Amino acid sequence: MIIDFHTHIFPPQLIAERQKYLADPCFRLLYSSPKARLAAADELISEMDAAGVDKAVIQNIGWTSHELCVRTNDYLLEAAARYPGRLIPFVAVQPLAGNQAINEIKRCAAAGARGIGELRPDVQGFDLGDDRVIKPFVGALVENSLVLLLHADEPVGHAYPGKGSLTPGVLYPFIAANPDLKLALAHWGGGLPFYALMPEVGAALKNTWFDSAATPYLYRPEVYERAADLVGETRILFGSDWPLLGQRRCLDELKTLNLSTQTLKAVLGGNAAALLGLAND
């Protein structure tokens, strides 16, 4: 089974009225260029069918507005209900909204959400070290058995649209302070796996997974092999970042590597199935 852990879809009305949403900092950061593609659920299903992808996690983005979180969450939940067994919703919240965010977490969990993401604290304006905001937020995630997916940024290397300040130095204290939270870090955690040889870091990452979204834009393909050596094959989640990148391109790159059948099966879907509590057919 192949599970793409990192895709993005948007409501058709939002796509049609794109310019209206550029006032939101996160949406503007990612989609101010007309070349940045937006897509809806039907297009994703067509892509999955063509690429041989069985299931996809549909991610929201880090909206600053609580109201926009709710509005777009409704679409992701509806899309997942329309394509049962194919689409797995990860919804968005604005933790600064306090009790409204907690209630939205509970509402979405009851409606079938499996996680929260892709959040961007640096863009949404909340501090991962602010206990007043983070403790109730993380508590609600743990209580509702939800995975948190955070965007992650490399502290070195080339600039690109969307690159921010959520680097390993910011992420690690949050991970260490919240050992019961199941956390997935996008884009290889900004390189955090390469610190796992430090004993204290490796120990803290026991509940942390790393997705491979946008790998062709960030790393050479052998990053899969090196990360498997450093954090273990069970901690890697295949992700394309569709529609930024085509699923087939990402799958073809992965399958050219010298990975064992066991590792390839784990990365392509087994690890995601275990993390999300899905049957791994």
Side-chain angles (χ1 to χ4, degrees):
M1 179 168 64
I2 298 177
I3 301 174
D4 186 340
F5 203 84
H6 195 127
T7 69
H8 291 281
I9 62 171
F10 291 93
Q13 183 179 0
L14 182 152
I15 296 172
E17 300 175 345
R18 177 186 191 131
Q19 292 296 318
K20 291 183 179 180
Y21 295 87
L22 293 177
D24 182 272
C26 187
F27 190 80
R28 183 171 63 250
L29 178 69
L30 298 172
Y31 299 108
S32 59
S33 170
K35 295 181 180 180
R37 184 182 170 197
L38 298 170
D42 294 350
E43 296 170 87
L44 173 57
I45 291 294
S46 295
E47 173 83 2
M48 292 166 63
D49 290 344
V53 174
D54 299 289
K55 302 176 186 291
V57 173
I58 44 176
Q59 305 276 349
N60 208 325
I61 66 170
W63 299 99
T64 301
S65 158
H66 170 72
E67 290 73 20
L68 284 175
C69 289
V70 174
R71 191 182 311 170
T72 49
N73 287 346
D74 284 344
Y75 176 70
L76 268 66
L77 293 169
E78 181 275 328
R82 186 154 37 102
Y83 294 104
R86 302 293 310 274
L87 303 182
I88 303 162
F90 270 43
V91 296
V93 296
Q94 166 55 287
L96 293 177
N99 287 334
Q100 289 181 303
I102 302 303
N103 290 336
E104 181 66 359
I105 289 170
K106 294 177 181 177
R107 180 185 80 93
C108 292
R114 295 297 186 104
I116 302 292
E118 176 185 13
L119 297 195
R120 301 190 57 133
D122 53 343
V123 180
Q124 292 179 273
F126 66 93
D127 183 348
L128 288 174
D130 184 349
D131 285 346
R132 294 171 301 174
V133 173
I134 295 303
K135 281 192 173 182
F137 170 61
V138 169
L141 297 183
V142 173
E143 181 180 345
N144 288 277
S145 301
L146 297 177
V147 178
L148 173 63
L149 187 136
L150 295 176
H151 179 84
D153 302 290
E154 311 79 30
V156 297
H158 61 282
Y160 51 84
K163 188 169 185 175
S165 59
L166 206 63
T167 60
V170 176
L171 293 164
Y172 174 66
F174 172 73
I175 294 168
N178 296 282
D180 296 328
L181 174 66
K182 290 184 177 180
L183 178 68
L185 297 178
H187 317 299
W188 299 104
L192 184 56
F194 302 104
Y195 295 91
L197 292 179
M198 299 175 69
E200 69 276 21
V201 177
L205 296 180
K206 65 179 182 178
N207 249 359
T208 302
W209 286 257
F210 301 91
D211 86 26
S212 65
T215 292
Y217 287 166
L218 299 172
Y219 295 101
R220 297 198 305 266
E222 54 265 36
V223 65
Y224 286 94
E225 298 167 314
R226 301 290 80 77
D229 290 340
L230 291 165
V231 296
E233 65 184 31
T234 61
R235 297 297 174 182
I236 301 172
L237 307 165
F238 168 72
S240 65
D241 214 353
W242 186 90
L244 176 66
L245 284 165
Q247 292 177 322
R248 174 53 60 192
R249 174 181 176 181
C250 297
L251 287 168
D252 287 347
E253 178 181 83
L254 176 55
K255 292 176 180 178
T256 64
L257 299 172
N258 187 31
L259 298 175
S260 69
T261 301
Q262 176 180 311
T263 298
L264 191 60
K265 184 177 180 180
V267 171
L268 282 175
N271 297 336
L275 175 59
L276 298 172
L278 307 175
N280 185 19
D281 301 325

